[in-house]
């Protein structure tokens, strides 16, 4: 590998990395000092980058130009929904200390495409590709609420609203009313409808056109999270996470690669 190392490329990238939030503008001497290059070498790299449009200068101070975003965009634009969502889920879990997931709708089920667990709170182990009925899950409610009316009608015509716990909503009328509430408030809370003891709260993830393409949730055990504490403590960071994922998806186009079965 050593013989394939292009030293000039490595040095040019080091010059770009010398600029950061704490040092948005640098003199030639400062760039040389931060990169370990000689002043002459630093000057050549800076002028080359300036000629390519990645660096701008007033003759004394140098700074990065917006064109450097192109370097990251090629990577970001190749990311799928799970890849975009995962770092945001990790941040969310570290904040709330509960498991968080992202899923998409596939026929009558939700399919998990990204997940960061904490303590196990379900009898069933959840992994990428795990499926649950949409009607009795918080992410499913969010995804169903985002369907056009004709698609929701078709879903209700073919879905088997089985009673999984004493709390499960099995009436199409009651489910429609629950989905109306989700649509109005912008999030869904499901209390022990999929499994006894499991509470979850979910928010939609929308694409550039405002279409709901996925859902993100936080799940917790009922013994440690009340409905009120979920609204107070979990909902705000959940909505913030959904907004950050949406922003990244809109920049990358990653939502188009969120197909179930291809996480």
């Amino acid at each position: 590998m050593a013989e394939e190392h292009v030293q000039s490329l490595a040095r040019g990238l080091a010059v770009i990395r010398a600029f950061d939030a704490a040092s948005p503008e640098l003199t030639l001497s400062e760039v040389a000092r931060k990169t370990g290059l000689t002043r002459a070498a630093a000057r050549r790299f800076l002028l080359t980058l300036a000629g390519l449009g990645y660096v701008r200068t007033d003759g004394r101070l140098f700074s990065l130009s917006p064109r450097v975003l192109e370097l990251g965009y090629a990577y970001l634009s190749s990311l799928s929904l799970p890849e975009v969502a995962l770092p945001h889920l990790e941040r969310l879990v570290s904040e709330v200390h509960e498991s968080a997931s992202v899923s998409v709708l596939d026929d009558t089920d939700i399919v998990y495409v990204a997940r960061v667990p904490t303590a196990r709170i379900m009898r069933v182990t959840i992994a990428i590709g795990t499926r649950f009925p949409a009607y009795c899950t918080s992410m499913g409610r969010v995804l169903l609420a985002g369907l056009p009316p004709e698609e929701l009608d078709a879903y209700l015509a073919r879905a088997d609203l089985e009673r999984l716990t004493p709390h499960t909503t099995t009436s199409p009328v009651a489910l429609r009313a629950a989905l109306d509430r989700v649509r109005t408030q912008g999030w869904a809370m499901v209390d022990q409808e999929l499994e006894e003891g499991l509470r979850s709260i979910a928010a939609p993830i929308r694409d550039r056109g405002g279409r709901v393409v996925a859902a993100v949730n936080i799940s917790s055990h009922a013994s440690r999270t009340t409905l009120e504490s979920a609204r107070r403590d979990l909902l705000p960071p959940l909505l913030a996470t959904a907004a950050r994922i949406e922003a990244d998806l809109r920049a990358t186009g990653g939502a188009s690669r969120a197909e179930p079965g291809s996480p």
Side-chain angles (χ1 to χ4, degrees):
M1 183 66 70
E3 65 274 12
E4 297 178 355
H5 182 77
V6 181
Q7 192 175 57
S8 59
L9 175 59
R11 289 176 173 174
L13 293 173
V15 169
I16 292 175
R17 290 196 300 270
F19 299 91
D20 54 27
S23 306
E25 294 183 318
L26 296 169
T27 64
L28 171 59
S29 297
E30 288 169 336
V31 171
R33 184 172 64 253
K34 292 187 72 170
T35 59
L37 297 171
T38 65
R39 280 175 53 87
R43 181 175 182 276
R44 287 197 302 273
F45 284 113
L46 285 168
L47 293 180
T48 298
L49 290 168
L52 294 172
Y54 295 112
V55 166
R56 54 193 175 194
T57 180
D58 62 4
R60 188 181 75 86
L61 292 173
F62 294 85
S63 62
L64 298 180
S65 79
R67 178 169 284 190
V68 297
L69 295 175
E70 295 176 355
L71 301 176
Y73 183 78
Y75 167 70
L76 288 174
S77 63
S78 70
L79 296 182
S80 66
L81 168 64
E83 292 167 324
V84 168
L86 191 57
H88 297 291
L89 291 183
E90 291 171 344
R91 174 178 172 179
L92 176 62
V93 169
S94 69
E95 180 178 355
V96 302
H97 309 292
E98 299 288 0
S99 300
S101 308
V102 168
S103 73
V104 296
L105 188 65
D106 184 30
D107 195 23
T108 59
D109 293 337
I110 61 167
V111 181
Y112 282 71
V113 298
R115 178 168 171 79
V116 176
T118 53
R120 183 173 169 183
I121 58 175
M122 294 188 67
R123 290 190 297 269
V124 177
T125 300
I126 299 175
I128 304 305
T130 294
R131 307 173 74 94
F132 289 124
Y135 70 95
C136 57
T137 61
S138 62
M139 289 190 287
R141 297 266 175 94
V142 162
L143 291 162
L144 292 174
L147 291 177
E150 63 277 10
E151 291 185 27
L152 179 58
D153 290 342
Y155 165 84
L156 290 170
R158 66 181 183 275
D160 179 15
L161 306 185
E162 179 185 358
R163 186 174 299 280
L164 301 179
T165 78
H167 311 279
T168 307
T169 298
T170 59
S171 161
V173 173
L175 180 58
R176 281 186 183 274
L179 296 179
D180 286 341
R181 288 193 298 273
V182 171
R183 217 172 280 118
T184 299
Q185 67 191 13
W187 52 274
M189 176 96 75
V190 168
D191 183 20
Q192 306 181 77
E193 295 195 36
L194 176 66
E195 183 175 303
E196 289 270 19
L198 178 68
R199 286 187 175 134
S200 64
I201 188 167
I205 297 171
R206 294 180 171 87
D207 64 10
R208 293 178 184 175
R211 181 173 61 100
V212 176
V213 294
V216 55
N217 89 334
I218 299 171
S219 52
S220 178
H221 199 277
S223 63
R224 63 174 179 267
T225 304
T226 66
L227 296 177
E228 178 54 35
S229 67
R231 293 187 190 95
R232 182 187 65 242
D233 302 329
L234 302 183
L235 182 58
L238 175 69
L239 294 176
T241 297
R244 286 191 289 266
I245 295 173
E246 284 183 354
D248 280 359
L249 284 178
R250 290 168 182 175
T252 66
S256 62
R257 294 181 297 285
E259 297 84 356
S262 303

